[in-house]
């Protein structure tokens, strides 16, 4: 199914593989930058990953001007303003985001403040609102799920109003993404499982949404295959560098896919679950993905069924709906296996959501921007119904 | 001579498209005002907007635009737009805008095809998109609405009288809003 019209964009240079980090100084030299501000968090510093970055820069013409290591769990507008201030005070000319989604989104948010010369980040909410070229941003993910190293999106929390604000612009794409397996080796099994399911959700939603197109499809299908082949192995044995690298690539491929076809009802609900109940995004996605696909069976049975191939399902039936149901069951089985291996929650109640919160979550979810890209319409009652099933 | 004629013709077609877009936008504005008074689903949607909330619909770079402002329990359409709206939905070009204004594609598909950009909070933009779906369901024939929306809004028993009220209001409404 080809769309009548689509556009596709991904200008990120990708360095992927063992010792990929060693190639960073040369690539940054090509960008003409000399002094970097590093955005990271205490967990990354504690796992000695900042040290690995510092080691990679020894003897090179690139210095770390300053390190911001206080990135909150949810990237916030206050953190972005602090980072921007540090950037100017230390005469930096580029940013390096070292960490998970929060560090990457904080760096993107700070870059908006720096590059637009903005006093208030809020004025740039929306789609395609940025007008000026951004400072070079290098992303070194330490989780394998968000895909933010190759996306045009940044989600920042307005701490005063307690709402998450999406910023969407082609100018938010980083300049370079570095996928080095040593940067994800220390990720605990539960985080590995949840972030991997986040990537799977990106890939699946990218493949079924209204904005799907032949180019994003290719990325999404490749991501699904890699995830089904490697997520269990990476969760079982965190030191398996091959599985780690495969998952890092899967997250990246899914990121490119969904950055060009967006996400749907699963993300709309997961954003609301995260905002109201502070459940990690990957866990919320893992719980809601099978139910979201099930909800879309009426409008998207064919694309869901087409996932049977990359999932490696043997002798699937010809009927689209039956095949799609098998795909959904395979995803449930994967989540179940990850639950056994890591303790990752597979129901909302298990994750700590109270039943009384479901109605509010549904009300917030239907205002999420992802709803518009979902194949099936989502009214409040529909969202509430999915949540009750996932509870 | 051929080149000159082609340029004049292209310019004429462009101006015609601009006029169609302007009329279509004004029609949406008039329909929005009438439906906001008479349709409960639309009233419920706009009830969450703060008094004075403004959204605008327009065409880049210099095309027509309208603004809808919440006033009391209803809305008021401004045919020449208003400065600093809370949410602005801006079509990237006139052809993309006409696909939506003439009922060829719905808002979800237009969003998926990235035909427009949004300035302002995404949550409020989603609410605006839902209200526009309701208004268009009154404005367009059923066959168009069924084709362009994932689940067309159900108009209910009051649907036909509201549709009639909107059509009756269109001619005087278009003239009035064009100068407001």
């Amino acid at each position: 199914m080809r769309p009548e019209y689509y556009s596709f964009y991904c200008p990120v240079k990708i360095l992927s593989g063992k010792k990929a980090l060693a190639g960073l100084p040369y690539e940054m030299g090509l960008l003409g930058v000399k002094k970097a501000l590093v955005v990271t968090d205490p967990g990354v510093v504690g796992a000695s990953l900042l040290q690995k970055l510092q080691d990679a820069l020894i003897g090179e013409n690139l210095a770390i001007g300053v390190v911001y290591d206080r990135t909150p769990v949810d990237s916030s507008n206050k953190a972005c303003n602090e980072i921007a201030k540090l950037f100017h005070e230390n005469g930096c000319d580029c940013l390096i985001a070292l960490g998970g989604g929060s560090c990457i989104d904080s760096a993107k948010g700070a870059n908006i403040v720096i590059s637009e010369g903005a006093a208030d980040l809020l004025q740039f909410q929306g789609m395609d609102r940025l007008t000026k070229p951004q400072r070079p941003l290098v992303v070194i993910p330490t989780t394998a799920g968000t895909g933010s190293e190759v996306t045009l999106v940044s989600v920042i929390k307005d701490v005063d109003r307690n709402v998450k604000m999406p910023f969407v612009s082609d100018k938010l794409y980083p300049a370079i993404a570095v996928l080095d397996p040593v940067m994800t080796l220390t990720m605990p099994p539960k985080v590995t499982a949840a972030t991997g399911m986040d990537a799977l959700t990106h890939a699946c939603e990218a493949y079924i949404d209204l904005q799907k197109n032949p180019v994003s499809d290719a990325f999404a299908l490749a991501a699904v295959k890699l995830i089904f082949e490697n997520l269990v192995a990476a969760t079982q044995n965190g030191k398996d560098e091959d599985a780690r690298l495969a998952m890092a690539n899967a997250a990246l491929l899914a990121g490119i896919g969904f950055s060009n076809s967006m996400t749907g009802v699963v993300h709309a609900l997961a954003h609301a679950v995260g905002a109201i109940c502070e459940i990690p995004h990957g866990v919320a996605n893992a719980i809601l993905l099978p139910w979201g696909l099930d909800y879309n069976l009426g409008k998207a049975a064919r694309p869901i069924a087409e996932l049977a191939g990359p999932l490696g399902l043997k002798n699937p039936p010809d009927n689209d709906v039956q095949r799609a149901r098998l795909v959904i069951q395979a995803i449930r089985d994967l989540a179940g296996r990850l639950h056994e291996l890591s303790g990752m929650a597979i129901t909302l109640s298990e994750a700590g959501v109270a039943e009384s919160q479901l109605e509010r979550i549904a009300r917030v979810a239907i205002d999420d921007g992802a709803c518009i890209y979902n194949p099936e319409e989502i009214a409040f009652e529909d969202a509430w119904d999915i949540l009750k099933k996932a509870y | 001579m051929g080149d000159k004629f082609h340029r004049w013709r292209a310019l004429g077609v462009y101006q015609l498209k601009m006029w169609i877009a302007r009329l279509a936008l004004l029609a949406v504005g008039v329909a929005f005002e009438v439906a906001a008074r008479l349709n409960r689903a639309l009233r419920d949607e706009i009830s969450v907007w703060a008094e004075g909330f403004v959204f605008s619909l327009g065409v880049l770079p210099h095309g027509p635009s309208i603004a809808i402002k919440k006033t009391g329990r209803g809305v008021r359409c401004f045919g020449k737009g208003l400065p600093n709206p809370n949410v602005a939905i801006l079509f990237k070009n006139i052809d993309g805008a006409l696909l939506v204004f003439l009922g060829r594609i719905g808002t979800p598909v237009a969003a998926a095809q990235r035909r427009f950009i949004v300035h302002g909070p995404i949550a409020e933009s989603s609410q605006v998109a839902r209200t526009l779906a309701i208004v268009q369901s009154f404005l367009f024939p059923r066959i168009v609405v069924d084709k362009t929306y994932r689940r067309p809004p159900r108009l209910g028993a009051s649907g036909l009288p509201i549709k009639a009220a909107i059509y009756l209001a269109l001619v005087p409404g278009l003239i009035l809003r064009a100068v407001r």
Side-chain angles (χ1 to χ4, degrees):
Chain A
M1 188 172 63
R2 278 179 296 112
E4 283 181 7
Y5 171 88
Y6 73 92
S7 59
F8 185 94
Y9 186 56
C10 181
V12 185
K13 185 161 199 174
I14 297 157
L15 312 181
S16 169
K18 294 171 185 174
K19 302 284 180 195
L21 200 54
L24 182 61
Y26 173 79
E27 298 297 337
M28 291 186 76
L30 293 182
L31 293 174
V33 291
K34 298 275 183 207
K35 200 173 186 186
L37 180 151
V38 178
V39 180
T40 188
D41 65 37
V44 171
V45 176
S48 303
L49 298 178
L50 176 62
Q51 190 61 56
K52 287 187 197 308
L53 172 63
Q54 287 166 331
D55 291 349
L57 301 182
I58 289 174
E60 301 287 349
N61 290 326
L62 179 76
I64 293 179
V66 61
V67 175
Y68 180 83
D69 60 3
R70 301 189 303 279
T71 305
V73 176
D74 285 321
S75 36
S76 70
N77 54 337
K78 288 200 172 155
C80 292
N81 289 335
E82 280 178 37
I83 295 165
K85 193 161 169 255
L86 275 178
F87 185 94
H88 291 305
E89 284 172 356
N90 290 275
C92 298
D93 57 8
C94 65
L95 295 121
I96 299 177
L98 174 68
S102 180
C103 293
I104 303 170
D105 282 5
S106 295
K108 287 179 178 176
N111 208 354
I112 296 174
V113 179
I114 295 163
S115 303
E116 296 281 347
D120 183 7
L121 191 59
L122 300 184
Q123 71 190 85
F124 295 100
Q125 284 184 90
M127 292 167 67
D128 285 345
R129 205 144 184 206
L130 306 184
T131 54
K132 295 180 181 161
Q134 303 289 289
R135 301 297 173 97
L137 167 64
V138 172
V139 176
I140 309 168
T142 59
T143 61
T146 165
S148 195
E149 65 274 17
V150 283
T151 71
L152 74 172
V153 183
S154 172
V155 180
I156 307 287
K157 187 174 183 178
D158 178 348
V159 285
D160 294 329
R161 292 190 304 144
N162 197 30
V163 291
K164 289 194 173 184
M165 309 172 294
F167 298 82
V168 184
S169 169
D170 282 347
K171 296 189 192 308
L172 282 178
Y173 280 103
I176 300 173
V178 182
L179 308 185
D180 192 319
V182 297
M183 304 311 274
T184 55
L185 290 180
T186 53
M187 212 183 352
K190 203 185 248 186
V191 180
T192 304
T195 51
M197 287 302 287
D198 186 21
L200 181 63
T201 308
H202 291 154
C204 290
E205 294 212 285
Y207 194 71
I208 72 166
D209 279 353
L210 293 179
Q211 198 173 326
K212 79 194 250 60
N213 61 71
V215 190
S216 68
D217 282 357
F219 286 93
L221 289 176
V224 170
K225 188 168 190 296
L226 277 176
I227 292 164
F228 263 78
E229 288 172 352
N230 293 282
L231 180 53
V232 168
T235 307
Q236 251 171 340
N237 175 16
K239 301 294 174 203
D240 182 342
E241 284 200 18
D242 290 333
R244 288 294 196 190
L245 185 58
M247 281 307 300
N249 274 275
L252 175 134
L253 291 164
I256 297 173
F258 94 80
S259 202
N260 286 279
S261 60
M262 306 310 275
T263 54
V265 67
V266 180
H267 268 76
L269 291 166
H271 289 152
V273 168
I276 293 167
C277 311
E278 297 188 350
I279 306 297
H281 182 60
V283 173
N285 273 336
I287 295 166
L288 292 161
L289 177 58
W291 299 109
L293 293 176
D294 196 55
Y295 177 72
N296 280 305
L297 265 181
K299 291 266 171 74
R302 168 66 64 87
I304 297 171
E306 285 170 357
L307 296 173
L311 256 59
L313 295 184
K314 303 271 187 266
N315 305 316
D318 289 336
N319 179 284
D320 282 342
V321 175
Q322 287 174 3
R323 199 151 32 120
R325 286 194 199 286
L326 282 184
V327 167
I328 295 169
Q329 188 54 49
I331 291 170
R332 275 191 220 287
D333 292 345
L334 174 65
R337 181 83 179 104
L338 296 171
H339 172 71
E340 286 167 16
L341 289 171
S342 70
M344 180 191 76
I346 49 174
T347 64
L348 289 175
S349 54
E350 208 176 275
V353 177
E355 197 169 4
S356 58
Q357 292 176 302
L358 298 185
E359 185 179 347
R360 187 160 158 240
I361 295 169
R363 290 212 182 278
V364 172
I366 59 166
D367 284 345
D368 191 281
C371 288
I372 203 161
Y373 305 103
N374 193 66
E376 182 59 88
E377 181 66 52
I378 305 145
F380 162 72
E381 292 77 14
D382 305 315
W384 198 10
D385 195 43
I386 297 171
L387 290 166
K388 282 191 267 193
K389 285 177 179 166
Y391 189 74
Chain B
M1 179 68 186
D3 275 0
K4 210 170 181 180
F5 174 74
H6 180 79
R7 278 184 58 197
W8 277 104
R9 187 171 165 274
L11 190 63
V13 170
Y14 177 77
Q15 293 297 348
L16 180 65
K17 285 176 181 174
M18 283 294 185
W19 271 103
I20 293 170
R22 175 139 181 78
L23 282 174
L25 279 170
L26 289 171
V28 168
V30 173
F32 211 119
E33 283 186 357
V34 176
R37 280 201 309 271
L38 303 176
N39 179 257
R40 185 172 174 178
L42 186 56
R43 272 207 310 272
D44 287 347
E45 284 285 357
I46 64 177
S47 66
V48 300
W49 294 348
E51 179 67 19
F53 174 89
V54 176
F55 80 84
S56 72
L57 263 180
V59 184
L60 292 171
H62 309 295
S65 73
I66 58 163
I68 304 283
K69 182 177 186 180
K70 183 179 178 190
T71 51
R73 293 182 63 206
V75 297
R76 194 165 174 220
C77 167
F78 293 82
K80 292 179 175 174
L82 286 174
N84 304 317
N86 300 79
V87 169
I89 296 175
L90 303 165
F91 285 88
K92 292 178 180 175
N93 55 63
I94 187 68
D95 290 295
L98 287 180
L99 286 174
V100 176
F101 297 160
L102 299 180
R104 290 271 313 280
I105 60 174
T107 317
V109 171
Q113 296 182 351
R114 297 191 71 181
R115 299 280 186 185
F116 57 78
I117 62 170
V118 176
H119 287 185
I122 300 291
E124 278 88 337
S125 311
S126 299
Q127 293 161 6
V128 167
R130 286 201 299 272
T131 62
L132 288 173
I134 295 171
V135 171
Q136 287 190 312
S137 69
F138 288 115
L139 211 47
F140 286 133
R142 188 78 212 173
I143 190 170
V144 173
V145 177
D146 284 344
K147 195 179 68 132
T148 51
Y149 282 93
R150 295 172 290 193
R151 189 191 300 157
R154 295 287 134 204
L155 301 186
S158 63
L160 278 180
I162 297 174
K163 234 174 174 151
I166 286 172
Y167 287 148
L168 284 173
L170 272 181
V171 173
L174 289 179
I175 296 166
L176 184 68
R177 271 83 185 172
V179 294
R180 188 151 78 192

